[in-house]
């Protein structure tokens, strides 16, 4: 984080004499003030964004009483809190629910939405831009407005309290379609031509050429979709009705709404919930840099 | 091993826009045919129609003796080399070259033999396990050609294959392509806008303009004996000079050159008195001697060492390009006499057609 900040400051730091000249004869001391103020502001911002994570980690090791009291350093209650959590919640079951939903959702969303984005960019049709504009327009409809009709749909399909109720509505993700269409603009058309001459069918071109070539786009989209579905709260809250179907995020919220919430337990559950998205992020991050180097030019 | 290609009244439209407007062409087996023409004239489109990458709107396409209009690109017996190479970035050189065979269901040892053979021909042996991104431009181009060779096509199609390379590599690859052609004895259709590539590689040059063929012929045919102003101006570098003229008293009066007169080139049928024509003289046809002479003022001198190009004009006229060979003494502002032999000059009528 501070690395980024330093880079941003660089271009200005590189020409202090020009800046001093512009400022006139105020004296050399003023040169230091600008950067100093910026560093202070940035440090504050860094503190504000990192502190909650620190607080969360500290909280896992303290009793609820100490947390409420505002104790800001590590204690020795980690195993106690973890034990309490396992006692109150069927952790393996809840984790399984979360992973099952997030993984199936992510795979299905990437497949369907990338295929749509690819098709929107590659194939010409006189209605193409209009249909695409209509799709984008749908992005502006808030989920709250869709919730009730969606619930009615799911209910009449008999899908309430099933995984499908969560997974199905996520699959056609307009943002991901848009993202893939944009990314496909950089996909060389001549690769498609070469593949056709090499004897590949349309679907083989997609699977054997497009997907491997676009893997950095897939990596980025995986992070986005996985995080979205993993952290999805409102819709699962509505359609998942029994405890054995609940996800991690729902569990945290029910721990929260207990008569006397145990904040130590909540912090442990929160850390467990945060870990998978972090791991996915660091695993896939490497793929970003491997672009389409060498395919053309 | 190599097939001819025949285009009969080939047409292509994108919606209401007609891009290829009736092309008839015969390409013999083993012939090296080069398509040239200004940007946007439809060279790539025509090549892609032969390849099966672009649907044919009208007319017939034959490769060998079979009509191929609706045949899948992979079943036409062609291979194509693209300007951008279009190598699969996620595969090694070996995988790139063997990909088509794998899809055609060829057995592994057979693929390996074919790929190794192509690699040997192109000197790629050392690079087989690299990815395209770890290759230089010239090496990538070689792999792209290798990928084509491996398929043993009856017809090779090249779309400006060398235009992403620097000048030196371009010369090297040009020679290599010529060598490949004589070695593989296959039919080649080659698109370029590089004069030298067209002149040196082609058995037959096809000059296209606006989706139509302007003229077909051997490089020297087109150079010596163009059918019209367009071909005369397009073939040859630097460009042929065009001087507006009028026929009067059995000689040509150069309208823009202060009414100087030059003798008429030898013609089968002389134009009528007073007819407006265009006189075409190539820069390299100006010589020290010659019965026709033009007085011009030197504007720019380009010394290339072996050759010197002088750009000169007379008040009110277009710039003339004159190749003066070794003459290096000229300076801007000098007055010079540009001489030529009228029998080297070409005459075109008002419609731009050649008067022979
Ligand atoms: N998909 C398309 N839709 C509409 N018009 C097209 C399409 N593809 C090509 N054209 C048009 O067809 C004409 C011929 O294009 P083509 O690419 O064959 O030209 P070219 O001779 O290869 O030019 P260049 O030397 O620049 O490569 C151009 O005017 C181009 O605008
Ligand atoms: Mg082209």
């Amino acid at each position: 984080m501070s690395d980024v900040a330093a880079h941003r400051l660089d271009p200005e730091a590189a020409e202090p004499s020009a800046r001093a000249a512009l400022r006139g004869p105020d004296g050399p001391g003023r040169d230091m003030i600008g950067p100093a103020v910026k560093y202070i502001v940035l440090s504050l911002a860094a503190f504000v964004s990192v502190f909650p994570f620190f607080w969360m980690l500290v909280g896992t090791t303290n009793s609820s009483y100490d947390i409420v009291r505002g104790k800001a350093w590590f204690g020795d209650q980690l195993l106690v809190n973890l034990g309490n959590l396992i006692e109150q919640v069927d952790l393996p079951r809840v984790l399984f629910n979360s992973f099952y939903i997030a993984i199936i959702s992510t795979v299905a969303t990437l497949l369907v939405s990338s295929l749509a984005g690819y098709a929107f960019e590659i194939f010409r049709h006189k209605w193409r831009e209009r249909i695409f504009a209509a799709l984008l327009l749908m992005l502006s409809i808030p989920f709250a407005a869709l919730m009730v009709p969606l619930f009615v749909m799911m209910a009449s399909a008999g899908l309430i309290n099933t995984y499908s109720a969560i997974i199905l509505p996520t699959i056609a993700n307009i943002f991901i379609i848009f993202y893939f269409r944009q990314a496909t603009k950089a996909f060389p058309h001549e690769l498609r031509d070469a593949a056709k001459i090499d004897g590949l069918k349309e679907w083989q071109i997609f699977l054997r050429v497009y997907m491997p070539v676009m893997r950095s786009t897939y990596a980025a989209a995986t992070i986005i979709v996985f995080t979205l579905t993993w952290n999805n709260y409102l819709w699962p809250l509505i359609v998942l009705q029994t405890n054995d179907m609940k996800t991690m995020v729902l569990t945290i919220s029910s721990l929260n709404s207990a008569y006397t919430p145990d904040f130590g337990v909540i912090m442990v559950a929160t850390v467990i919930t945060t870990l998978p998205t972090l791991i996915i992020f660091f695993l896939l991050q490497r793929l970003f840099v491997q672009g389409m180097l060498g395919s053309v030019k | 091993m190599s097939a001819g290609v025949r285009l009969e009244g080939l047409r292509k439209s994108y919606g209401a826009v007609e891009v290829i407007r009736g092309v008839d062409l015969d390409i013999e087996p083993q012939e090296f045919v080069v398509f040239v023409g200004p940007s946007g004239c439809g060279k790539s489109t025509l090549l892609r129609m032969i390849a099966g990458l672009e649907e044919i709107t009208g007319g017939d396409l034959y490769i060998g003796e079979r009509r191929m209009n609706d045949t899948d690109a992979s079943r036409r017996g062609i291979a194509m080399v693209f300007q951008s190479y279009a190598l699969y970035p996620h595969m090694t050189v070996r995988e790139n070259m063997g990909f088509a065979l794998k899809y055609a269901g060829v057995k592994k040892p057979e693929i390996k033999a074919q790929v190794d053979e192509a690699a040997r021909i192109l000197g790629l042996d050392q690079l087989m396990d690299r990815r395209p991104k770890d290759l230089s431009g010239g090496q990538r181009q070689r792999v792209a050609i290798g990928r084509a060779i491996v398929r043993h096509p009856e017809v090779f199609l090249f779309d400006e294959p060398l235009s992403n390379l620097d000048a030196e590599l371009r010369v090297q690859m040009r020679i290599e392509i010529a060598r490949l052609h004589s070695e593989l004895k296959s039919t080649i259709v080659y698109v370029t806008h590089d004069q030298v590539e067209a002149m040196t590689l082609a058995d037959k040059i096809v000059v296209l303009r606006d989706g139509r063929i302007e003229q077909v012929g051997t490089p020297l045919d087109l150079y010596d004996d163009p059918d019209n102003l367009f071909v005369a101006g397009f073939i040859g570098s630097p460009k042929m000079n065009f001087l507006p003229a009028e026929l009067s008293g059995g000689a040509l009066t150069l309208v823009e050159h202060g009414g100087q007169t030059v003798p008429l080139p030898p013609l089968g049928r002389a134009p009528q008195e007073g007819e407006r024509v265009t006189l075409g003289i190539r820069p390299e046809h100006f010589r020290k001697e010659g019965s026709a002479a033009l007085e011009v003022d030197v504007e720019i001198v380009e010394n290339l060492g072996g050759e010197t190009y002088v750009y000169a004009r007379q008040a009110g006229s277009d710039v003339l390009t004159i190749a003066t060979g070794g003459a290096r003494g000229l300076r801007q502002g000098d007055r010079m006499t540009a001489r030529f032999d009228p029998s080297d000059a070409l005459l075109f009528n008002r419609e731009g057609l050649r008067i022979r």
Side-chain angles (χ1 to χ4, degrees):
Chain A
M1 189 135 207
S2 58
D3 254 6
V4 175
H7 278 300
R8 293 237 178 93
L9 286 172
D10 249 346
E12 289 173 7
E15 38 175 355
S17 57
R19 293 171 64 82
L22 275 177
R23 267 196 220 106
D26 275 351
R30 283 205 53 168
D31 244 6
M32 306 290 291
I33 294 176
V37 168
K38 275 174 195 158
Y39 274 114
I40 291 171
V41 170
L42 287 168
S43 305
L44 272 175
F47 179 75
V48 167
S49 53
V50 169
F51 183 74
F53 285 95
F54 173 73
W55 180 250
M56 176 175 80
L57 289 177
V58 166
T60 59
T61 63
N62 287 319
S63 68
S64 195
Y65 174 75
D66 280 339
I67 295 173
V68 174
R69 229 176 32 132
K71 184 180 170 196
W73 198 245
F74 295 98
D76 54 6
Q77 298 293 302
L78 177 60
L79 292 180
V80 178
N81 288 336
L82 188 60
N84 287 342
L85 175 66
I86 291 172
E87 208 168 275
Q88 292 170 33
V89 177
D90 183 357
L91 205 53
R93 175 78 205 180
V94 172
L95 278 175
F96 172 81
N97 291 343
S98 270
F99 272 111
Y100 185 87
I101 290 172
I103 289 172
I104 303 276
S105 258
T106 305
V107 172
T109 306
L110 284 192
L111 263 179
V112 171
S113 300
S114 70
L115 192 56
Y118 170 80
F120 264 119
E121 184 55 30
I122 296 285
F123 299 109
R124 291 163 189 278
H125 187 271
K126 61 180 175 193
W127 288 92
R128 174 170 80 168
E129 297 309 325
R130 271 171 268 192
I131 295 174
F132 196 68
L135 270 185
L136 287 188
L137 211 60
M138 276 154 65
L139 270 181
S140 63
I141 304 174
F143 181 69
L146 299 174
M147 223 156 54
V148 175
L150 205 54
F151 187 87
V152 173
M153 257 170 75
M154 291 299 159
S156 59
L159 291 177
I160 298 301
N161 205 32
T162 64
Y163 295 130
S164 308
I166 312 285
I167 295 168
L168 286 177
T170 65
I171 289 177
N173 184 320
I174 296 169
F175 174 72
I176 298 296
I177 294 175
F178 173 75
Y179 181 62
F180 269 96
R181 179 172 184 184
Q182 286 307 114
T184 305
K185 289 187 199 295
F187 178 74
H189 281 231
E190 289 191 342
L191 274 185
R192 269 174 55 77
D193 295 335
K196 271 190 208 163
I197 291 178
D198 279 348
L200 277 72
K201 306 259 176 299
E202 285 291 352
W203 63 271
Q204 290 170 320
I205 295 176
F206 184 76
L207 285 181
R208 302 292 306 275
V209 179
Y210 180 82
M211 289 180 83
V213 169
M214 303 297 281
R215 61 178 181 276
S216 55
T217 307
Y218 277 95
T222 302
I223 293 174
I224 295 170
V225 177
F226 185 88
T227 310
L228 274 180
T229 48
W230 181 268
N231 291 334
N232 199 358
Y233 174 69
L234 187 54
W235 181 242
L237 181 68
I238 295 169
V239 284
L240 297 182
Q241 295 174 335
T242 56
N243 270 336
D244 64 326
M245 293 300 286
K246 289 226 156 95
T247 61
M248 276 306 288
V249 174
L250 293 181
T251 304
I252 293 177
S253 105
S254 64
L255 288 174
N256 231 335
S257 53
Y259 185 61
T260 49
D262 184 332
F263 290 113
V265 171
I266 293 174
M267 290 303 179
V268 174
T270 310
V271 169
I272 294 176
T273 310
T274 314
L275 276 181
T277 51
L278 280 181
I279 292 171
I280 293 262
F281 181 81
F282 286 113
L283 279 183
L284 293 179
Q285 193 195 26
R286 285 179 307 125
L287 278 173
F288 285 171
V289 282
Q290 303 171 1
M292 308 193 298
L293 283 175
S295 106
V296 290
K297 257 210 163 176
Chain B
M1 202 42 256
S2 74
V5 179
R6 201 163 78 247
L7 318 183
E8 288 180 0
L10 225 51
R11 291 176 181 278
K12 170 77 191 175
S13 316
Y14 291 109
V17 192
E18 193 162 44
V19 196
I20 300 294
R21 311 164 176 221
V23 168
D24 295 291
L25 181 66
D26 248 320
I27 298 171
E28 303 293 328
Q30 303 189 16
E31 203 169 24
F32 198 128
V33 173
V34 174
F35 291 174
V36 296
S39 186
C41 69
K43 306 181 291 290
S44 299
T45 307
L46 196 56
L47 195 73
R48 294 166 55 83
M49 286 162 78
I50 299 174
L53 297 172
E54 224 47 92
E55 254 175 61
I56 295 172
T57 314
D60 296 305
L61 166 73
Y62 294 88
I63 299 177
E65 285 314 309
R66 279 181 54 205
R67 184 173 179 276
M68 292 286 193
N69 281 41
D70 304 311
T71 308
D72 219 49
S74 60
R75 300 178 181 277
R76 292 192 182 192
I78 53 102
M80 187 153 168
V81 176
F82 298 89
Q83 177 176 356
S84 67
Y85 319 139
L87 299 176
Y88 307 117
H90 55 296
M91 298 180 199
T92 62
V93 168
R94 175 176 295 284
E95 288 164 342
N96 261 288
M97 286 168 64
F99 198 54
L101 296 185
K102 198 169 120 190
Y103 265 84
V106 178
K107 297 240 159 30
K108 270 206 180 130
E110 174 65 15
I111 295 180
K112 182 165 165 26
Q114 298 283 358
V115 170
D116 285 342
E117 169 68 7
R120 191 190 54 74
I121 294 177
L122 291 163
L124 288 170
D125 319 51
Q126 305 301 313
L127 308 172
M128 297 310 278
D129 297 316
R130 295 214 197 155
R131 297 275 157 106
K133 71 173 185 328
D134 302 321
L135 299 176
S136 72
Q139 290 167 335
R140 283 178 203 171
Q141 189 57 71
R142 242 176 264 259
V143 176
I145 294 174
R147 185 169 67 175
I149 291 178
V150 165
R151 309 189 58 216
H152 291 294
E154 313 220 45
V155 183
F156 279 99
L157 307 173
F158 288 85
D159 193 354
E160 305 200 24
L162 306 186
S163 51
N164 280 350
L165 301 178
D166 62 44
E168 197 179 328
L169 255 175
R170 192 140 61 189
V171 174
Q172 204 179 318
M173 288 303 291
R174 195 176 76 213
I175 294 167
E176 198 145 326
I177 289 175
R179 179 177 67 84
L180 272 175
H181 180 233
S182 64
E183 203 167 305
L184 300 173
K185 304 238 181 306
S186 42
T187 312
I188 294 184
V189 186
Y190 189 105
V191 170
T192 182
H193 51 233
D194 184 311
Q195 287 277 333
V196 184
E197 275 172 42
M199 296 299 280
T200 54
L201 289 172
D203 295 322
K204 189 154 93 182
I205 294 182
V206 178
V207 183
L208 290 163
R209 174 164 68 155
D210 281 345
R212 284 203 186 86
I213 292 183
E214 288 286 319
Q215 192 175 353
V216 179
T218 66
L220 290 182
D221 271 350
L222 296 190
Y223 179 86
D224 292 336
D225 196 15
D227 281 346
N228 53 47
L229 267 181
F230 179 79
V231 175
F234 198 81
I235 301 288
S237 171
K239 233 168 99 88
M240 184 185 277
N241 298 296
F242 294 125
L243 294 75
E246 210 175 81
L247 196 76
S248 61
L252 288 170
T253 307
L254 301 179
V255 188
E256 286 188 357
H257 292 260
Q260 299 184 65
T261 57
V262 294
L264 206 55
L267 296 168
R269 182 197 66 82
Q272 298 185 346
E273 186 73 11
E275 192 177 327
R276 287 287 196 129
V277 293
T278 303
L279 182 70
I281 312 167
R282 293 200 182 276
E284 53 274 29
H285 285 155
F286 288 104
R287 309 201 172 132
K288 286 215 180 65
E289 297 91 34
S291 59
L294 283 174
E295 293 291 321
V296 286
D297 297 317
V298 175
E299 281 201 343
I300 297 169
V301 180
E302 281 182 354
N303 281 305
L304 303 182
E307 185 63 89
T308 301
Y309 292 115
V310 175
Y311 300 91
R313 75 164 100 208
Q314 203 167 38
S317 79
D318 278 342
V319 175
L320 281 184
T321 312
I322 301 163
T324 62
R328 296 184 178 189
L330 289 163
R331 299 252 176 291
Q332 184 182 359
D334 285 356
R335 173 151 275 251
M336 71 178 284
T337 308
R339 299 190 156 276
F340 64 94
D341 187 340
S343 63
D344 286 334
L346 308 175
L347 212 56
F348 302 89
N349 71 14
R350 205 198 291 238
E351 282 77 48
L353 296 177
R354 177 80 180 284
I355 306 173
R356 287 194 165 94

